[in-house]
Amino acid sequence: MSFVDIDDLSIDLGEFSLKGVSLSLERGDYLTIIGPTGAGKTIFLETIVGFWRPDRGRIVLDGRDITTEPPEYRHIGIVYQDYALLPHMTVYRNIAYGLKKHKPENMDEAIRKMARSLHIDHLLHRKPITLSGGEQQRAALARVLIVEPSLLLMDEPFSALDPQTRRRARLLLKEAIGERATTVIHITHDLDDAWALANKLAVFKDGRLLQMGAMDTVFSQPKNRFVAEFVGTGFFSGTVVSRENGCVNIDVEGTCLQSLDRADKGKPVNVAIRCEDIRVSRKKPSVANGFNILNATLKNVIPEGSSSLLDLRVDNLEMNALLTQNAMRRLDARRGDNLYALIRKEHVKIVQDG
Ligand SMILES: Nc1ncnc2c1ncn2[C@@H]1O[C@H](COP(=O)(O)OP(=O)(O)OP(=O)(O)O)[C@@H](O)[C@H]1O
Ligand SMILES: [Mg+2]
């Protein structure tokens, strides 16, 4: 049995339904949920916290079936996008509010300690309206963490913060939960949150959980085209044409890709290639050793902060490669240039249909 066991969670809200979501988390796991708007991410969290009664399914937390338990007994903390601080109370009283049911003996000390760890100890006398977005965010986090919830849920907690404040907030959160090994489910639209904080990733669409797994696995082996596109991984359909020396040759619209994964000859397969795993070179390497070496034409360059996404045409295929700005400078390529795309055979992943 896992620390969190959610089994076949379903709820029909008329225009929208959550359809049989099942997932498990171990204690200390940090799961980020991503998915398009309207996918049911918020409704899923609201069902865990007890805002909605599911029509079917079970939620088990630390061995206790909490599916029908009133929200206040679940010992689950939730941080909303708008923080939901109580406006007429000071930050101190907002944090204390969380403790109103189980006041510890040293409550004052506990509040000050939590405030220090989130760098808001100088703001305890202020009302939320006088705080910046980042300060409100930290106050909301303090109010939730002080009760040491068994499970912490967060619905886009950083979305109102500027990029730098966001980075700092991530660090503070990581330290605060790291000390307590808190189990977290965090909805975000920013994959950087996921890379900075999470060990697991789940993708929702249309009320369904499409895929959940270790961060790396979801990125390198997305189950279907939707998940692949959502995380920016290339996804191609082809056929295994031959097997030799522990490697398979896959024909993808006339391009041969070699993979180290196993598959039978003649089998239609899907292939995933992460954009970080495509190297781009002007020169053809003299030895192919372990690589697929493909002729590529540069169609476009899309700058993305500290890296650039290259649109490549490889025979009949479109592929995206992600290069750091340093690698871009070394490559010194322009639109229309003929280049080589180099992909390690172990980075060509055969994925099961899902
Ligand atoms: N009380 C309700 N009754 C019926 N439908 C609802 C209700 N609340 C939300 N919905 C609908 O359920 C769908 C999922 O909503 P939800 O808020 O969970 O999406 P989300 O994945 O969190 O999206 P976003 O990324 O925009 O926050 C939406 O289409 C929404 O309009
Ligand atoms: Mg939402």
Side-chain angles (χ1 to χ4, degrees), residues 41-42 155-156 187:
K41 306 181 294 295
T42 295
D155 195 351
E156 302 188 45
I187 299 175

Side-chain angles (χ1 to χ4, degrees), residues 13-16 35-44 52 155-156 189:
L13 295 175
E15 311 220 330
F16 174 82
T37 181
K41 306 181 294 295
T42 295
I43 294 206
F44 177 61
W52 302 104
D155 195 351
E156 302 188 45
H189 280 286

Side-chain angles (χ1 to χ4, degrees), residues 52-67:
W52 302 104
R53 171 75 60 94
D55 300 322
R56 212 175 63 222
R58 247 164 39 111
I59 307 167
V60 178
L61 176 59
D62 201 5
R64 216 155 40 92
D65 187 332
I66 57 163
T67 318

